[in-house]
Amino acid sequence: METAKLKHAVATLLPHHDRDEAEDILRATAAAPPRADENVLLRKLFPSLEQGEMKELEQIKEGLRKEIRSIVLNPLASGERLEKLREVMADQKVDGFIVPLNDEFHGEAAPAAAERLKWLTGFTGSAGFAVVLKDTAAIFVDGRYTLQVRNEVDVTLFTPRHVSEEPMSDWLSDNMPVGAKLAVDPWLHTEGNMSSLKKIAADIGITLKPVSENLIDKVWEDRPPSPLALVQPQEERFAGESSASKRNRIAAKLADNDTDAIIHTLPDVIAWLLNIRGADLPCTPFALGFAITHKDATVDLFMEERKFAANLHEHLGNMVRVHAPAEFESTLLSFKGKHVQIDPSVTSQYIVDQLTVATARISRAEDLCLLPKAIKNTVEIEGSRRAHVRDGAAVAKFLHWLSINGPTGNVDELSAEAKLRAFREVGENFRDLSFNTISGAGPNGAIVHYRASEASNRQLETGSLYLVDSGAQYLDGTTDITRTIAIGEPNAEMRKNFTLVLKGHIALARAVFPKGTTGSQLDTLARAPLWAAGLDYDHGTGHGVGSYLSVHEGPQRISKAPSTIALAPGMIISNEPGYYKTGAYGIRIENLVTVREVTPPEGAERLTYGFETLTFAPIDKALIEKSLLTDSEIAWLNGYHYDVYEKLEPQLEGDAAQWLRRATAPL
């Protein structure tokens, strides 16, 4: 249906363009997520169109976008898709195939064209993989998705398994005979991941077989194209440092290490290094491509030029050489005898293989951009402060609206999610959400990475809890906030557990620690009140956040998992302890904080750091059991609410301002 409309539109509206090329452009722009300024690119690529003709073309593109969404996620077709994959496996003479979630860039998100796991299984989580054998298949997820996977995936086709408690190695050992061949796409496995797979294969006596074309792609007949979305400069008034300065910093490190070049694959790294932002992926301002920084501070960028904004070449300057993506492989092969650095945790095995063929000398270390990107400069921190105040005002307006409409029984998860977005969209510098909102009512709030759908949508019911985890992308900052709200009167258990989570949140917010402290050393502070009650949560306590970049950023984190990365001034990180009672409710309280130097205690012998809270929105006092809080915890909460009122009240009016005064009144 949409294909026919597309062909007709191209024939009538673009008679002087190559028809195949015009169709490819429209399909590729439809494969990118929607953005407010997305049609700037269409007008650039088709400048001869009149306004009415452009409107018609935009409508065709939207139809194609809906078609792509329906193609990617159609669980009813999973059985047929699985059988087709097994037919290709037989043709390739392999006994199994691993289907990862990631793409060749190994960032957090992937475009529709790379959503092979979702297309095959229906699973929409952000972490997991499947293994398909001749007569059985399994899908592996972590503790965040053990509930979700059973809701989304046909368990008669794919056996759900906990990735650490029921590891792939055990399952393969039970289901693959000695000598069997397990196919892998070397683009989709990092060198680190491939090393683990090689060990597993050796231990159980099977063979890994790299494939030149992904087996899913062979059977995915209507697979979307790679996205085509506008790439624009990130102005220095937001970035706080020029791209030239950043490139020189990285080049100096290469020279110090006697290294000729470093290969960058992560989209957020390339965006930060070159001060560019794109729209190839949902909720993240990235343009997909590869980059190589050389020790002379020049960069080779492998990216589609036709999606460049008119001023992008001037912004990049003559020290950045732009190449077609197809030239990346030949460039890798040109590094004969050169010393090249890669990050083994995010670099595809395929890239390593090409460098090996070229006889390059390979160094393996974390990408040199990661730590400088994580340590924000003063302009980025100030921008984040401003963005959070605007964002907090939007959240406060939403919470006021929810206080009126939530108890009526006329609000559901999807309508609440839409209302919150509407409040944000009118904010200055708003560009998009920073991730898909988690809008969980009652038992859905206990699903850590829940995503409301028409099938799962619940009403907000009196006597229940509503958990909303959301954020936005602004030109001057990225936000992420979680609030848990009582709909009507909460029971004593809800208040107790909420207060335990709040105590952990306050303990972390008030932490004072010496230079050199890692997030894993602070994690216990947030969990201790829950642990004392025999409770816990199965996710990290804090993740790094970018500056108009990814809402989940490394290398810093606050987690049970060991970390060698010390927290440093300028890092932005979340503070988000929680508690989840399966089948009943979820609780999470999340603010973003930035690490800063603080006045050391009297007699201190070391440089001392603490946190500045960036997020400002009321915490629901109806859920607080005051008797469980100490005087100092009450003082922190009252001080925080005082700051919330001072910052947000000037942006609210009428009833909303009065509500804010009540919501932030001292406990």
Side-chain angles (χ1 to χ4, degrees):
M1 183 79 171
E2 295 302 330
T3 298
K5 290 181 182 178
L6 173 63
K7 289 184 177 298
H8 175 74
V10 168
T12 57
L13 299 176
L14 303 167
H16 303 300
H17 285 78
D18 179 276
R19 293 190 181 185
D20 289 341
E21 181 185 23
E23 288 181 19
D24 287 346
I25 288 173
L26 285 169
R27 290 184 188 280
T29 56
R35 290 288 199 280
D37 57 0
E38 63 179 290
N39 292 318
V40 172
L41 181 60
L42 277 183
R43 288 192 287 272
K44 176 197 170 197
L45 295 172
F46 303 120
S48 62
L49 288 181
E50 300 292 336
Q51 185 174 354
E53 293 172 325
M54 180 59 70
K55 190 74 174 177
E56 186 176 344
L57 209 61
E58 291 169 6
Q59 291 172 349
I60 297 296
K61 181 194 66 183
E62 284 306 309
L64 289 169
R65 179 172 282 153
K66 291 177 182 177
E67 188 175 73
I68 287 170
R69 288 173 181 165
S70 67
I71 287 169
V72 172
L73 186 54
N74 181 9
L76 297 177
S78 59
E80 180 183 344
R81 293 171 180 178
L82 188 59
E83 288 308 310
K84 287 184 177 180
L85 175 59
R86 285 182 169 137
E87 290 173 7
V88 171
M89 287 165 50
D91 291 341
Q92 297 283 314
K93 295 181 173 54
V94 297
D95 304 289
F97 182 55
I98 300 179
V99 186
L101 182 142
N102 53 273
D103 63 6
E104 64 268 35
F105 304 102
H106 297 280
E108 184 178 16
E115 291 186 309
R116 300 176 179 92
L117 183 66
K118 183 187 293 186
W119 178 85
L120 182 66
T121 68
F123 178 63
T124 65
S126 63
F129 62 92
V131 183
V132 177
L133 304 182
K134 289 179 178 180
D135 53 8
T136 188
I139 183 166
F140 297 82
V141 298
D142 62 32
R144 296 171 295 174
Y145 296 113
T146 51
L147 297 177
Q148 181 177 331
V149 71
R150 293 181 179 275
N151 292 334
E152 295 181 338
V153 177
D154 186 341
V155 297
T156 67
L157 300 174
F158 297 89
T159 302
R161 292 177 67 93
H162 192 291
V163 69
S164 57
E165 296 173 5
E166 305 168 292
M168 178 180 65
S169 56
D170 290 351
W171 187 80
L172 289 176
S173 181
D174 291 339
N175 290 280
M176 291 196 83
V178 172
K181 295 180 180 178
L182 180 62
V184 292
D185 181 347
W187 273 112
L188 304 187
H189 295 273
T190 64
E191 186 189 35
N193 176 238
M194 191 66 81
S195 295
S196 298
L197 290 176
K198 288 175 181 176
K199 183 179 185 307
I200 291 170
D203 288 344
I204 63 179
I206 63 174
T207 302
L208 292 181
K209 181 180 178 181
V211 294
S212 58
E213 181 182 359
N214 191 285
L215 302 190
I216 294 287
D217 298 353
K218 286 179 174 290
V219 299
W220 190 350
E221 295 177 357
D222 45 11
R223 181 172 168 241
S226 296
L228 190 68
L230 192 68
V231 189
Q232 305 179 77
Q234 170 75 337
E235 296 179 36
E236 196 171 327
R237 65 190 177 103
F238 296 122
E241 182 183 7
S242 70
S243 173
S245 172
K246 294 176 182 180
R247 297 195 305 270
N248 284 326
R249 280 207 279 160
I250 301 305
K253 291 181 180 180
L254 291 173
D256 289 344
N257 298 333
D258 191 27
T259 304
D260 295 295
I262 180 172
I263 296 173
H264 310 291
T265 67
L266 288 175
D268 58 331
V269 162
I270 296 170
W272 175 86
L273 178 66
L274 300 179
N275 282 351
I276 60 174
R277 299 295 188 268
D280 285 342
L281 300 176
C283 302
T284 47
F286 301 155
L288 296 176
F290 294 106
I292 302 173
T293 299
H294 300 267
K295 64 181 179 181
D296 63 358
T298 63
V299 170
D300 288 304
L301 175 64
F302 302 85
M303 191 174 286
E304 285 264 15
E305 280 191 80
R306 61 182 179 177
K307 62 184 179 183
F308 283 14
N311 61 341
L312 191 65
H313 275 292
E314 180 183 357
H315 165 78
L316 293 172
N318 57 15
M319 297 289 280
V320 178
R321 299 176 289 266
V322 181
H323 309 268
E327 296 177 36
F328 183 54
E329 182 175 348
S330 61
T331 303
L332 294 175
L333 293 171
S334 71
F335 280 109
K336 182 176 182 179
K338 297 290 187 179
H339 187 185
V340 182
Q341 180 179 327
I342 64 162
D343 185 336
S345 66
V346 295
T347 302
S348 295
Q349 180 65 45
Y350 186 89
I351 294 174
V352 177
D353 290 343
Q354 303 313 300
L355 291 173
T356 302
V357 169
T359 65
R361 183 158 64 97
I362 303 174
S363 290
R364 293 160 174 85
E366 191 173 76
D367 192 300
L368 294 172
C369 295
L370 287 180
L371 198 56
K373 177 169 64 69
I375 299 175
K376 312 296 184 289
N377 58 51
T378 55
V379 171
E380 290 173 314
I381 293 296
E382 185 55 38
S384 185
R385 291 187 183 113
R386 292 194 302 269
H388 275 88
V389 170
R390 294 194 302 274
D391 197 67
V395 172
K397 292 173 185 176
F398 168 75
L399 293 176
H400 168 243
W401 172 86
L402 191 66
S403 71
I404 298 169
N405 295 279
T408 66
N410 297 321
V411 177
D412 58 32
E413 294 168 340
L414 289 175
S415 63
E417 178 182 329
K419 192 69 176 178
L420 177 52
R421 180 182 181 115
F423 281 122
R424 279 194 167 106
E425 284 180 332
V426 297
E428 182 186 3
N429 292 333
F430 175 86
R431 285 298 178 267
D432 197 1
L433 300 183
S434 56
F435 57 97
N436 292 319
T437 299
I438 298 171
S439 177
N444 286 343
I447 303 172
V448 176
H449 280 197
Y450 173 71
R451 176 80 192 277
S453 66
E454 293 293 344
S456 67
N457 192 22
R458 287 181 64 94
Q459 296 291 127
L460 276 60
E461 300 173 348
T462 300
S464 71
L465 297 186
Y466 171 62
L467 185 153
V468 57
D469 184 352
S470 66
Q473 294 283 10
Y474 301 93
L475 287 173
D476 47 355
T478 300
T479 69
D480 183 1
I481 174 175
T482 306
R483 289 296 182 263
T484 306
I485 303 103
I487 306 301
E489 186 66 26
N491 62 38
E493 178 191 283
M494 293 172 177
R495 290 197 300 272
K496 183 195 80 169
N497 290 335
F498 181 90
T499 307
L500 294 176
V501 172
L502 177 61
K503 288 171 73 70
H505 180 95
I506 293 172
L508 188 56
R510 297 167 59 198
V512 175
F513 48 93
K515 178 182 178 181
T517 301
T518 67
S520 55
Q521 292 173 298
L522 298 180
D523 183 73
T524 305
L525 295 175
R527 296 181 191 269
L530 288 163
W531 283 355
L535 307 175
D536 201 2
Y537 51 95
D538 291 330
H539 58 75
T541 300
H543 56 83
V545 178
S547 179
Y548 186 39
L549 286 171
S550 178
V551 75
H552 297 124
E553 176 181 85
Q556 76 275 24
R557 64 175 183 263
I558 301 174
S559 166
K560 290 180 182 179
S563 173
T564 60
I565 302 300
L567 299 178
M571 288 180 172
I572 295 177
I573 198 162
S574 65
N575 172 3
E576 52 177 310
Y579 169 72
Y580 310 91
K581 185 173 182 179
T582 301
Y585 57 83
I587 296 167
R588 186 157 64 250
I589 304 170
E590 178 185 18
N591 286 343
L592 297 190
V593 299
T594 184
V595 182
R596 64 176 179 177
E597 188 175 336
V598 300
T599 303
E602 185 177 350
E605 298 178 350
R606 299 187 180 185
L607 193 61
T608 306
Y609 296 155
F611 294 118
E612 172 193 341
T613 297
L614 297 173
T615 304
F616 293 98
I619 294 170
D620 192 354
K621 292 187 296 181
L623 278 166
I624 297 174
E625 181 56 60
K626 185 177 178 180
S627 64
L628 296 178
L629 296 179
T630 65
D631 289 345
S632 63
E633 289 169 338
I634 292 172
W636 181 92
L637 182 66
N638 288 340
Y640 173 71
H641 274 155
Y642 176 85
D643 290 340
V644 169
Y645 184 79
E646 287 292 302
K647 292 179 184 297
L648 303 189
E649 189 273 339
Q651 301 186 64
L652 304 182
E653 298 177 349
D655 292 344
Q658 292 301 314
W659 171 87
L660 182 68
R661 180 180 292 276
R662 295 190 299 272
T664 57
L667 195 63

